[in-house]
C-alpha cells in the first residue's frame, strides 16, 4: 500500500524512531534522511535502527563542510548572536538539512516530507519555511505535533509495544541537540529558570572552578572575516572549530545559560555549549574594532541583531537575509589579521590585535612625544558640535 513516499528528517533519537513506525502505520513509505553536522554518535547505528524499524532506506550525508562554509561562517561574519547570547547552532542546522531533504525528495520522487519537531518550538518553523520556499506544494507531515503520544513516557511505551529499538530510558532528562557549532540543552530541571543548572546539563565544557589555574593564549588568524589559522597553523574549517572547541572546553569557555524568546511566543530557559564559537566571536569582533570605521561598526550591530532574528525565526532563505550577506561580505574585505585570545577560568578575552588594514593610528592616540593630533582644533569642533542644542 506504500504509495505515499515520504522523506523523514531522522536523528536516530526517540521521537524520530517512533515517527518511522507511526508514519508507516499511516501508509507512508518512509525514507530516512540523516545529515552529519558533527553531532557525533554513530550514524551507522542510527541507520541500522531505522531499517530495523521498517524504513525503506536511510540516507546519510556528511554536510559538515557545507555547514561551516555556507552557514556557520556567514553567521560569524554577521556577528549573529540571538538575544546577544545564543550563537544559533541549532537554528543554522535546520535550513541545510531541510534543503538537502528536498533534493532527496526530488530524486526519490517523494511528495511528502516530515520532521520530528514539536508544535511548541522553533525548529518546526525552520524546517517548514524552508520546505515551502524551496519546494512549493510539497506536503509536510509533523508526527510529533499530531500524535497522541504527549509525553516522553508514552513514546517509550509505544516504542516498547511496537518493538522499536531505542537507547532511551524514562529517566533521561534533557533534550539535546548537538553539532559542530554548539550544543543546545533544554528540559528537565532547566525548566525552572530560578535554579542553577546542574553540572550534568553541560556535556563538554569544564566548570570554570575546575579549569586550569594558568591562562592559555590562542591566536586566531582571519582572512576577510573567515578564521583560517590557530597559533600560526593553517587549519581546514572543521579542524579549526574542533581545535578551538577543545581549547575553550578545557578552560570553561562557552557555557551559556539564558532565557530566550521563541518565535511561537514562549519564553524558554536553555543552556548552550559553544566554546569555539565564543572564542571566534570575541576574536572577530576585536578585529572588526581595529579595522572598520566607526559608522560601519555601529551600523553592523543593528544588522547583527536583525540577522540573528531572521536565522532564529526560520527565514534563512529570504531576500533580506541574502541582502545582509552581501552587505556583510563588503564589510569583511578588511577583516584580516591576528587576534590573540586569553583563555582563563571561563572567559575568552582578546588581548592583542594586529592587521595590515588596521585603522588604529598611534600618532593620533598617543600621549607621548610622537603625538601629531592638533588639540587646538578641538575647541572649535566642540563649539560647532554643541551649537544646534544651545538656547542662544
Ligand atoms: N532553543 C534553541 C533554538 O531554538 C535550541 C533548540 C534545540 N533543541 C533541543 N532539542 N534542545 O534554536
Amino acid at each position: 500500500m506504500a504509495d505515499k513516499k515520504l522523506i523523514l528528517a531522522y536523528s536516530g533519537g526517540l521521537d524520530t524512531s517512533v515517527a518511522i513506525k507511526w508514519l508507516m502505520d499511516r501508509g507512508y513509505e518512509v525514507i530516512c534522511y540523516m545529515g552529519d553536522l558533527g553531532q557525533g554518535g554513530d550514524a551507522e547505528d542510527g541507520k541500522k535502527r531505522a531499517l530495523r524499524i521498517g524504513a525503506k532506506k536511510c540516507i546519510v550525508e556528511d554536510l559538515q563542510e557545507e555547514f561551516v562554509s555556507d552557514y556557520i561562517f556567514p553567521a560569524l561574519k554577521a556577528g549573529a548572536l540571538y538575544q546577544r547570547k545564543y550563537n544559533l547552532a541549532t537554528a543554522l542546522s535546520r535550513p541545510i538539512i531541510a534543503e538537502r531533504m528536498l533534493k532527496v525528495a526530488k530524486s526519490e520522487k517523494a511528495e511528502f516530507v516530515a520532521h520530528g519537531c514539536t508544535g511548541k518550538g522553533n525548529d518546526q518553523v525552520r524546517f517548514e519555511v524552508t520546505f515551502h520556499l524551496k519546494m512549493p506544494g510539497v506536503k509536510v507531515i509533523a508526527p510529533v505535533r499530531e500524535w497522541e503520544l504527549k509525553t516522553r513516557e508514552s513514546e517509550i511505551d509505544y516504542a516498547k509495544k511496537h518493538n522499536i529499538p531505542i537507547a532511551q530510558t524514562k529517566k533521561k532528562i534533557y533534550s539535546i541537540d548537538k553539532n559542530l557549532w554548539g550544543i543546545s540543552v533544554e528540559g528537565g530541571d532547566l525548566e525552572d529558570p530560578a535554579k542553577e543548572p546542574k553540572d550534568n546539563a553541560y556535556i563538554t565544557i569544564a566548570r570554570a572552578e575546575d579549569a586550569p589555574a594558568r591562562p592559555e593564549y590562542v591566536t586566531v588568524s582571519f582572512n576577510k572575516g573567515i578564521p583560517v589559522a590557530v597559533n600560526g597553523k593553517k587549519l581546514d574549517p572543521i579542524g579549526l572549530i574542533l581545535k578551538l572547541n577543545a581549547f575553550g572546553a578545557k578552560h570553561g569557555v562557552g557555557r551559556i545559560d539564558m532565557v530566550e524568546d521563541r518565535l511561537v511566543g514562549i519564553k524558554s530557559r536553555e543552556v548552550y555549549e559553544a566554546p569555539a564559537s565564543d572564542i571566534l566571536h570575541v576574536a572577530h569582533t576585536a578585529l572588526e574594532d581595529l579595522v572598520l570605521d566607526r559608522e560601519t561598526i555601529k551600523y553592523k550591530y543593528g544588522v547583527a541583531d536583525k540577522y540573528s532574528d531572521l536565522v532564529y525565526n526560520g527565514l534563512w532563505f529570504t531576500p533580506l537575509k541574502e541582502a545582509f550577506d552581501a552587505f556583510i561580505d563588503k564589510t569583511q574585505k578588511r577583516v584580516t589579521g591576528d587576534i590573540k585570545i586569553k583563555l582563563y577560568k571561563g572567559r575568552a578575552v582578546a588581548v592583542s590585535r594586529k592587521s595590515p588594514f588596521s585603522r588604529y593610528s598611534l600618532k593620533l592616540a598617543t600621549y607621548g612625544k610622537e603625538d601629531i593630533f592638533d588639540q587646538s582644533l578641538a575647541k572649535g569642533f566642540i563649539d560647532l558640535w554643541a551649537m544646534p542644542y544651545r538656547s542662544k
Side-chain angles (χ1 to χ4, degrees):
M1 85 184 242
D3 49 346
K4 302 190 288 183
K5 245 190 185 185
L6 174 146
I7 315 296
L8 169 68
Y10 179 67
S11 70
L14 177 64
D15 290 331
T16 50
S17 295
V18 169
I20 297 176
K21 170 78 181 137
W22 189 88
L23 287 161
M24 285 167 55
D25 285 349
R26 275 149 193 81
Y28 295 97
E29 176 180 302
V30 179
I31 297 174
C32 290
Y33 180 83
M34 290 181 96
D36 180 0
L37 300 175
Q39 61 269 41
D42 192 346
E44 273 312 304
D45 212 48
K47 184 173 172 172
K48 265 192 229 142
R49 191 166 333 134
L51 297 176
R52 195 139 27 106
I53 299 166
K56 189 85 187 171
K57 267 190 210 174
C58 183
I59 296 167
V60 184
E61 285 184 326
D62 183 350
L63 305 179
Q64 292 186 80
E65 268 178 35
E66 187 187 336
F67 185 44
V68 179
S69 61
D70 297 356
Y71 293 79
I72 292 177
F73 284 168
L76 173 65
K77 288 190 278 184
L81 293 170
Y82 182 66
Q83 294 186 317
R84 305 275 163 100
K85 295 186 194 72
Y86 164 43
N87 78 345
L88 299 156
T90 298
L92 289 163
S93 74
R94 299 322 188 205
I96 182 173
I97 296 171
E99 210 210 4
R100 300 298 304 187
M101 285 170 68
L102 294 176
K103 295 217 164 95
V104 174
K106 265 184 208 132
S107 63
E108 294 285 342
K109 299 197 174 49
E111 246 187 296
F112 296 86
V113 285
H115 59 72
C117 310
T118 78
K120 296 178 71 170
N122 302 306
D123 286 332
Q124 54 175 344
V125 182
R126 299 165 184 153
F127 273 114
E128 289 179 43
V129 169
T130 305
F131 292 151
H132 294 314
L133 296 183
K134 291 276 165 181
M135 194 188 269
V138 70
K139 294 182 187 129
V140 183
I141 315 288
V144 178
R145 208 163 57 196
E146 292 170 29
W147 66 29
E148 56 299 334
L149 309 168
K150 291 297 172 219
T151 62
R152 187 174 177 79
E153 285 73 19
S154 49
E155 279 185 44
I156 291 173
D157 290 338
Y158 180 96
K160 287 204 176 121
K161 193 166 132 211
H162 293 93
N163 272 322
I164 298 171
I166 48 158
Q168 286 76 10
T169 65
K170 289 190 185 171
K171 272 216 311 302
K172 186 195 149 216
I173 13 178
Y174 302 119
S175 159
I176 297 171
D177 182 67
K178 190 172 173 212
N179 64 47
L180 201 54
W181 199 223
I183 306 177
S184 308
V185 185
E186 57 188 28
D189 45 16
L190 294 172
E191 287 178 359
D192 181 353
K195 282 204 187 115
E196 180 174 358
K198 294 202 180 112
D199 284 336
N200 68 353
Y202 295 101
I203 301 158
T204 60
I205 304 181
R207 298 194 309 167
E209 299 91 303
D210 302 330
R214 286 172 179 281
E216 189 166 10
Y217 295 88
V218 285
T219 298
V220 183
S221 306
F222 289 86
N223 181 26
K224 298 197 173 84
I226 304 265
V228 290
V230 172
N231 292 336
K233 206 173 151 230
K234 275 212 173 331
L235 290 169
D236 66 278
I238 298 169
L240 182 137
I241 291 175
L242 291 174
K243 178 135 207 130
L244 293 178
N245 268 339
F247 267 121
K250 174 175 160 198
H251 287 277
V253 167
R255 287 183 171 200
I256 294 137
D257 173 356
M258 70 187 284
V259 170
E260 73 190 37
D261 286 278
R262 291 190 192 158
L263 178 61
V264 296
I266 300 170
K267 276 195 189 291
S268 141
R269 198 290 187 83
E270 316 258 340
V271 307
Y272 297 105
E273 287 184 78
S277 161
D278 192 355
I279 295 169
L280 287 171
H281 273 287
V282 168
H284 183 260
T285 304
L287 184 53
E288 287 194 331
D289 290 344
L290 187 72
V291 300
L292 298 184
D293 64 282
R294 71 177 176 194
E295 290 310 312
T296 304
I297 289 174
K298 291 176 185 180
Y299 193 82
K300 208 165 163 282
Y301 292 149
V303 171
D305 275 347
K306 188 70 196 162
Y307 194 98
S308 317
D309 285 352
L310 292 174
V311 176
Y312 190 85
N313 294 334
L315 301 177
W316 182 264
F317 292 110
T318 58
L320 182 56
K321 163 25 198 84
E322 236 179 75
F324 277 148
D325 280 327
F327 164 77
I328 291 159
D329 277 341
K330 189 91 184 171
T331 66
Q332 298 301 293
K333 291 220 157 90
R334 306 172 62 89
V335 186
T336 293
D338 300 332
I339 302 294
K340 194 195 276 181
I341 300 285
K342 182 176 185 172
L343 305 172
Y344 182 59
K345 294 279 182 198
R347 294 248 293 149
V349 180
V351 292
S352 153
R353 49 300 261 160
K354 288 180 190 159
S355 168
F357 302 109
S358 171
R359 288 188 185 275
Y360 183 88
S361 163
L362 181 66
K363 284 193 226 140
L364 290 177
T366 184
Y367 289 99
K369 58 180 181 329
E370 300 82 12
D371 184 14
I372 58 157
F373 186 86
D374 183 351
Q375 297 196 29
S376 70
L377 296 176
K379 185 185 176 310
F381 167 73
I382 298 163
D383 284 347
L384 293 180
W385 184 243
M387 194 171 66
Y389 312 104
R390 285 195 173 153
S391 50
K392 46 178 166 103

